[in-house]
Every structure is written in structure tokens, then in C-alpha cells.
Amino acid sequence: MDKIYTYYRERIAKASDEARRLGREIYLLGSARLGLVALAILLVWLLRGAAMPWIVGSVGTCALVFAALMRRHFTLYRRKAERERLITLNERELKGLDYDFSAFDGAADKIDAAHPFSLDLDLFGDHSLFQSLNRTVTAAGRERLADWFLHPLTDAGAIRRRQAFARELAERPDFRQKFYVDGVERPGSLSDVERLARLGEGRPAFRDRAWCRLAIWLVPAGWIALFATCGMGLVGDSVLGLYCLVALALGYGKSKALASLYARVNKMEEILKSYARLARLVEGETFRSEAGRAIREAFLANGLAASTEIRRLSALIGGLDQRFSLAGLVLNLFCLRDTRLAIQLERWMDANAHRLPRWIDALAEFDAYASLAGFAFNHPDYPDPTFSETYFEMEGRRLGHPLLDRAVCVRNDIRVPRAPWFLIITGANMAGKSTYLRTVGVNYLLACVGAPVCAESLRLYPAPLMTSLRTSDSLASHESYFFAELKRLSQIIERLRAGERLFIILDEILKGTNSVDKQKGSLALMRQLVGLGSCGIIATHDLLLGSLEEAFPEAIKNYRFEADIQDDELSFSYELREGVAQNMNACFLMRKMGITV
């Protein structure tokens, strides 16, 4: 971890030095521009008696130099802003290493109590697994990464391919940070992605009109001819006025169709510029892994560079954005600029609109991979899990929760040798049962997503995951706590009966009923789960469930988390031990808090 801390600190120091240098250059350029303005005023005063060409030439020269300095200013300002974004990213990464992920998006909108495991495993929201890992810079990438977590892979070969590219990208932190810095300024939204996907749906209104294609050449040619003949005195000003009306009619005769076309691409210039920069970065790299090559080839298919085509689309939209400016109005009058841009835009749509969704999809894929790679880079001690071809095998050594401080996190093992097999975890309040369940679930999910795991080693069969750890009632759907829990258990049974092979994690079965019902129901459920050949972990306070190991010695194994009471003090080791729990702490805690027992 020391190397990771050092990397981010060195990046901050280097970027800070560059930002200060650029700031000084920007200041000097500002002073030079101010000096040029003063020089131009002085020259006008000194040359006040000279011929007009001298004055115009002097002021024009100052104006050209001023324009060059302004262009340089914008370049330096953009570079300085990039360095500042880079500094911010590395500062946030340092905080993330210390478990402060608040600067990153946790996708709280993805929280869904009906999902098979996302709410139980704190997948989304503040201080969530997704927030700790998410470094996406596009709306499509955020959706792709969230979808990977909501629908983890169950094919070992596909997971290995994802692991390979994530590891390859993890080795290129400078490149990933460049990708982040170039994209984070304009992440866009899902509505942008949806609009781009529909870009080719409209009917062309300019491209197929012969008079439009002729007019964009005839109108400027007519202006040239008229100015030439007017200069020679062959035509009068009235002809120029009449031609101006004709040009205006041609230029704005299809304004309704132009407005309709523009509405499909309005406000897309900047996000497309960002996409073009990101695509160019990927196009310029070479990748060893299959997934990386596939993404790059998607950007370069059919001899086209996606970055070039997307940048051209951005430029066309930018041109239409300026149609009501003074320059836009003049250019439209003299060369039908709006019609010319509309024809080019429709031609672009005809040639590339069907490719654009594939390019955005490839960009989203790469964006999601960059987050997995960043997670691997930030946790150099996390290994990639390996996979079994047999349902069900799972063996992990020293599993820890990735959101718990590494300095205090107690790690435990897990072993599920075959199907059916259940670990029944008993123990006192606060002894670590629920944390252990979430630790296993989170690492299982990370493994199936293609990320490294918080463990010394982990081998598993990638079956679909189903949990019931945090059931809640719902006023909106008129569901009680108990009914909501029964629904989740019913879903598990239905999926098992349908032939699905699941990995199940349950915490305190049937919490919402009385103790007699709870015992009867829990024992019946356990027998049914074992009878259906499933696997998983169940935590409970009910020590009676520990007797199931005697009834199913080949399918159930008891483990416990103990609360140790010594010298009237309560302590927890948080270490998983074999057997049924011996010590409970509810009465002890009540007495300590002054409640009569």
C-alpha cells in the first residue's frame, strides 16, 4: 500500500508544479495582451498624421499578435484546468485509500429492495461497494458498471476474460488517469445517450433535395459575380438588394426543417467532443487481452476512426449552434451556411448513425473496465479469484470486507466443499455474524463481476447469488416485514424448483414471527433447501438450528462467533470457530445499561 500512497502523492506534486508554471505563463500572457492594447493606442496617437494604411497596418499587426496570444492563453488555460482536475482526482484517491469515498458517485438511484442482493450487500449509495470502486466518467459507463454488479457473470470463461483486461489496465495508471481527466468534465447524461441512439431515425430534409445541393454553390457564385460586375459599374445597387432577398429566401426557406434537424442534436457539441477525446485515447493504445482488442477494434472498424467521425459530428453541431450569431447570419446570407451544414449533417447520419450506438457501447465498456482496473490498482494485495467447474465449491482463506479499515478488519475463512451444503452460523449480538455474511457476499459478488477480492485466496463456482439479510416492510405496497421476508424466501424456493443453482445467504430466518413459529418454520425451510440440493450460509440466534448438523451431517456444518465475558467485561474476537455458540450477551448488555433483568 505504501507504493500506492506514494504514487498518488507524486502525481499531486508533479501536477501542482505544472499548474503553477502554467499559471505564471497565463499571467505573463495577460500582461503582454494588456501591453499590446496600450501599444496599439500609442501607435494610433503617434501615427495620427500619417497615411491611413500605416495606421491600419500597425493596428492590424497588434490585433493579429493579440489573437495569437489569446489562442495561446486558451491552450494554457485548458492545460491548467486538466492539471487541476488531475490534482483533485489524486487527492480523492488518497482519501479513498483511507475509506472516504464521498467524492465519488455511489449511484443511490440504483438502490432497489426487490433486487436479489443489492440492498443486503450495500451495493449502492453512500459508503457503498459501488462508490468505493466507481471511477466512470460517462453516463453510459456508469450504467454499464452498475449493470455488471446487478447482473454478475455466471460463466467462468467470461469472468476470466474480464479479469485479464482489468489487470492489464491496472498496470497503466497514468493512462487511466488521463482518460478520467479528459472525460470527467463532461460526463453527459442517459438522455444524451438515448438521443444519440435515435440520431438516424428522422427523414432527410436537405440531403436529397437537388435544389439545396445546387443552391449552396450557386448563391456564393452569384454574390462573387454581382460584386465583380457592381465594381465595374455594370449593375446597380438595386440588383444587389434584389439578390439579397433571393439569398435570404433560399437561406431561410426551410427554417422549420432545419429547426427540426437541430432539435435532434441540440446541446450535443461538448459531450461529443468529450467522447471523441476518450475514443482517441483508446484508439492510440494497444492491448494484449481479448476484451481490450475488441473494444479498440470497435472504434477502428471498417477503416474509420470513431474519434475522427465523432469530432466531425461535434463540429457540424457547433456550426449550427452559431447560426444566430452575427457571423452565422452573414455566412448564411452569402453562402447558405445553414443549408450546407444541414446537408453535411444528414450525410453524416446516413453514413454513421448506425455506428454511433456501437461506439458509445464500446466507450461505456472501456469506462467500466477502467473502474475495475482502478480498484485492482488501489488494492495490490487483493488477488483474482479462481473458478471451479463443479456446483458447488467455494473455498476462501482470510476473507475481509473491502469497506472495513484494513488495520482493524478481522479476516475469516469459508469452505463449502459440495452441494448440498450449508454453514449455520450462531452467535451473540454484535459478535460478527452479519458482517461475516456480507463479507462473503461482497467478495462472492466481486469475484463474479471480474474484480479482485479482499482475501488471501478464493475459489468458487459462479452461481447466481440470492440473499435475505435486510428485509423491510413497505407501506406503499401494504406489505408487512414478515410478508416481505416470506416473499424473498418464496422466490428462492421457486428458483431452486425451476432448476437454478443458487448460492444463498440468509440472516436470521423468519425474524417477524414468534419463537415457536420461527423454530418450526426455520427447521422446515432448512430441510427444504438441503432437499433441493442448494448451498449457502445462514446466520441465526436460534441455537436449535445447530441440531440440524446431526440430522444432515453430510450437508450442514455449524460455526459460531462467540462473545467472551471476563471480569464483567464483554469482548469479541470476531473469529469464526467451529460448533454452536455457547455465550449470549443480551441479558448482560441489558444489565450494563441499567435495565433490570
Side-chain angles (χ1 to χ4, degrees):
M1 291 302 299
D2 288 343
K3 290 182 179 180
I4 309 303
Y5 278 98
T6 300
Y7 172 81
Y8 289 130
R9 287 170 183 149
E10 288 178 349
R11 294 283 283 176
I12 291 171
K14 183 179 178 181
S16 297
D17 289 343
E18 292 175 351
R20 283 192 291 270
R21 177 182 58 79
L22 291 167
R24 288 193 295 270
E25 288 189 42
I26 290 169
Y27 176 79
L28 291 173
L29 281 177
S31 301
R33 293 200 310 274
L34 186 61
L36 271 175
V37 172
L39 177 61
I41 295 171
L42 179 62
L43 287 172
V44 170
W45 185 79
L46 292 174
L47 298 172
R48 61 187 182 279
M52 185 57 67
W54 283 97
I55 298 175
V56 172
S58 300
V59 174
T61 301
C62 289
L64 288 174
V65 175
F66 187 90
L69 291 177
M70 280 298 299
R71 183 180 180 85
R72 178 63 176 168
H73 168 86
F74 288 133
T75 300
L76 294 177
Y77 188 83
R78 186 177 65 252
R79 290 178 184 172
K80 183 173 180 286
E82 289 173 358
R83 300 306 184 277
E84 289 169 346
R85 292 198 297 273
L86 184 61
I87 292 167
T88 299
L89 169 62
N90 284 278
E91 289 174 342
R92 290 174 174 177
E93 291 289 6
L94 283 175
K95 290 181 178 179
L97 293 180
D98 294 327
Y99 304 96
D100 178 1
F101 315 114
S102 56
F104 300 109
D105 177 18
D109 56 298
K110 299 293 183 182
I111 296 174
D112 179 10
H115 188 266
F117 55 79
S118 69
L119 181 65
D120 290 338
L121 300 183
D122 300 306
L123 185 51
F124 300 109
D126 292 336
H127 204 71
S128 63
L129 182 65
F130 186 84
Q131 188 181 43
S132 73
L133 185 146
N134 177 31
R135 302 295 184 271
T136 56
V137 293
T138 66
R142 176 186 186 266
E143 289 298 303
R144 181 62 52 85
L145 184 63
D147 186 68
W148 284 0
F149 276 93
L150 290 169
H151 305 97
L153 295 171
T154 55
D155 177 77
I159 298 173
R160 292 187 191 101
R161 287 190 290 274
R162 193 178 284 177
Q163 285 177 338
F165 189 37
R167 280 295 174 187
E168 183 179 357
L169 281 181
E171 299 168 0
R172 308 184 191 187
D174 291 3
F175 171 68
R176 284 187 291 100
Q177 290 206 342
K178 174 64 174 171
F179 185 89
Y180 183 94
V181 166
D182 280 2
V184 74
E185 189 179 17
R186 301 281 180 179
S189 65
L190 279 182
S191 61
D192 295 331
V193 176
E194 292 164 1
R195 287 174 62 194
L196 289 171
R198 299 194 302 267
L199 204 57
E201 292 180 357
R203 297 180 60 184
F206 295 88
R207 184 197 66 199
D208 296 335
R209 302 293 190 273
W211 71 266
C212 288
R213 299 197 300 272
L214 284 172
I216 60 175
W217 299 109
L218 292 178
V219 167
W223 278 115
I224 293 171
L226 278 175
F227 281 130
T229 53
C230 185
M232 292 184 290
L234 299 178
V235 297
D237 293 342
S238 59
V239 176
L240 283 174
L242 181 63
Y243 191 74
C244 182
L245 293 175
V246 172
L248 285 172
L250 291 172
Y252 294 98
K254 289 180 70 65
S255 58
K256 186 175 180 180
L258 183 65
S260 176
L261 174 64
Y262 179 69
R264 290 156 58 190
V265 295
N266 185 23
K267 299 180 180 178
M268 300 297 293
E269 179 189 7
E270 292 302 321
I271 187 62
L272 286 168
K273 277 184 183 178
S274 178
Y275 286 174
R277 287 194 299 269
L278 297 178
R280 186 169 63 250
L281 283 174
V282 179
E283 291 165 0
E285 291 288 305
T286 55
F287 302 109
R288 303 185 305 271
S289 57
E290 180 183 342
R293 292 197 303 270
I295 291 173
R296 184 175 182 271
E297 288 166 6
F299 285 130
L300 297 172
N302 303 312
L304 292 174
S307 60
T308 301
E309 295 302 316
I310 295 172
R311 189 166 58 249
R312 190 159 69 91
L313 174 61
S314 175
L316 292 172
I317 296 171
L320 287 177
D321 284 341
Q322 303 299 318
R323 70 189 192 281
F324 292 126
S325 67
L326 178 60
L329 293 171
V330 172
L331 288 171
N332 198 41
L333 174 65
F334 286 103
C335 64
L336 299 192
R337 181 173 181 262
D338 292 355
T339 304
R340 190 182 300 269
L341 289 172
I343 291 172
Q344 292 175 358
L345 183 57
E346 288 182 344
R347 285 174 177 168
W348 190 99
M349 291 177 179
D350 183 58
N352 296 306
H354 65 286
R355 298 189 179 101
L356 193 55
R358 293 205 298 271
W359 291 337
I360 295 174
D361 183 75
L363 187 60
E365 191 89 351
F366 188 89
D367 201 8
Y369 267 111
S371 286
L372 291 188
F375 184 76
F377 178 80
N378 284 343
H379 300 90
D381 55 331
Y382 287 14
D384 283 332
T386 57
F387 298 95
S388 168
E389 301 299 326
T390 304
Y391 178 82
F392 184 86
E393 292 178 0
M394 181 176 183
E395 184 162 2
R397 290 181 53 80
R398 292 180 50 76
L399 271 67
H401 199 295
L403 301 185
L404 288 179
D405 191 323
R406 66 185 71 85
V408 297
C409 179
V410 177
R411 299 189 173 209
N412 287 289
D413 298 346
I414 183 172
R415 182 173 181 270
V416 181
R418 57 183 172 273
W421 189 274
F422 273 90
L423 279 63
I424 295 183
I425 314 293
T426 53
N429 296 298
M430 305 184 297
K433 299 189 306 299
S434 296
T435 299
Y436 179 74
L437 297 189
R438 288 185 173 84
T439 295
V440 173
V442 163
N443 282 289
Y444 188 91
L445 176 60
L446 285 171
C448 295
V449 166
V453 293
C454 181
E456 184 177 293
S457 64
L458 180 62
R459 176 178 172 80
L460 58 88
Y461 177 90
L465 178 63
M466 198 79 180
T467 68
S468 180
L469 310 179
R470 189 182 282 148
T471 311
S472 61
D473 55 4
S474 172
L475 294 176
S477 57
H478 307 289
E479 288 183 355
S480 69
Y481 178 97
F482 182 63
F483 185 71
E485 185 181 13
L486 286 181
K487 275 182 61 177
R488 176 58 61 93
L489 296 177
S490 174
Q491 291 168 6
I492 293 172
I493 297 299
E494 287 175 6
R495 292 179 65 175
L496 291 173
R497 284 175 174 167
E500 286 195 67
R501 294 174 166 181
L502 305 178
F503 182 62
I504 302 163
I505 304 177
L506 306 177
D507 190 8
E508 204 61 49
I509 308 170
L510 306 179
K511 295 181 284 289
T513 188
N514 65 71
S515 58
V516 176
D517 265 357
K518 176 181 175 181
Q519 285 186 350
K520 290 178 62 177
S522 298
L523 290 169
L525 177 66
M526 283 303 305
R527 290 190 179 97
Q528 192 169 14
L529 292 175
V530 170
L532 289 169
S534 60
C535 298
I537 313 173
I538 294 178
T540 181
H541 287 98
D542 193 342
L543 303 185
L544 183 63
L545 291 187
S547 64
L548 286 170
E549 183 178 343
E550 299 174 6
F552 301 97
E554 299 300 317
I556 290 178
K557 181 72 174 177
N558 287 321
Y559 289 92
R560 59 196 167 101
F561 285 97
E562 290 289 9
D564 299 315
I565 303 173
Q566 189 172 5
D567 298 328
D568 203 36
E569 291 296 332
L570 183 67
S571 64
F572 303 100
S573 67
Y574 305 113
E575 293 178 356
L576 188 66
R577 310 173 192 176
E578 290 190 14
V580 179
Q582 303 299 310
N583 300 323
M584 292 297 166
N585 61 5
C587 292
F588 173 83
L589 289 172
M590 290 172 70
R591 284 195 301 269
K592 294 287 281 186
M593 296 178 71
I595 303 172
T596 301
V597 179

